[in-house]
Amino acid sequence: MPNDDIDTSNLESLETYRSYNRYFRQAEEAKNKRVWWKTYRKRVDIGLPYCRPSRTKVVKERRQAMSENKRNVELERASRLRTLKIPLDQVQETWEKTGGPFDIKKLADHYGVFRDLFPMAYFLPQVTLRISYSQDTDGQVHYGNQLTPTEAVSAPRIAFDAEENSLWTLLLTSPDEHLLDNEAEYLHWLVGNIPGGAVRAGEELCHYLPPFPARGTGFHRYIYVLFKQEKPISFREDLRPSPCHSLVDRTFKTVDFYRKHQDDMTPAGLAFFQSQWDQSVTNTFHNTLNMKEPVFEFIRPPVYHPPQVKYPHRQPLRYLDRYRDGKEHTYGIY
């Protein structure tokens, strides 16, 4: 343990530092010394290796771009007249290539994605996933945005940048949805051996199942994880029956799946959204999963009123108020 080599019974015999510089130097050496208690709770990076660009090159390119912009007469005039338009597509592309993966990792840590899917591990999402459930921007999956189960009722369109001969595996899971085991997940979609970026051309191991957050359990996380394969993989043990409407067959653990294939695949991309109960979840439980819908909140029944009688006897003066249509009363207003 730390400071085991210090004899606390005879502190006067300890050598003094005599100067702050000597103390600072020895403190830095002690801080950088490799000891077991510093690595006991350390997380492991299981992602693709990140090649950090040269700081000198980045600063040089930035200064060159700034000097070119200052010499651009049309750009200066548009800025002065407040008609300058910034292309957001280029801003998005620059962000994805520079600080985007680090921002996504921070968001994933904030939402507990790595903690629940890959205990004691993490990765840097270097491949950007573009997932859309609809034609407009409202149905896109980002990093923790909210979508309703109705919006995510069918499989989305997925795109990502990939080499021509590369192979990928796409996974959709929910760590908050399991009804019996808090440590388990429900598998919503699994596609392996995806050639390039064509998800539809991959091997569908488990067909898509829409989100079904139980009523009264709040928001659930639904996480897309993209793995890059080193070679074609045989997913015979991970193949589910088609159609797979059994929650027992869909019980899943991402960390066990990764450990099984960790020699042949590496996590590279990440996207996730949140969803809570709406009316389509009832339809999923009854018609798709063929089971009763679990409810974890009290549904207050409507107030019971006995049938109205034409001549109420010994009833209060406001007897008729309970049989009105619920609209605001207008009697007595002149």
Side-chain angles (χ1 to χ4, degrees), residues 103-115:
D103 294 337
I104 298 172
K105 177 182 173 296
K106 291 180 182 178
L107 288 171
D109 281 328
H110 175 75
Y111 284 97
V113 172
F114 299 132
R115 178 197 63 203

Side-chain angles (χ1 to χ4, degrees), residues 162-166 195-197:
E163 296 84 1
E164 183 178 356
N165 297 323
S166 59

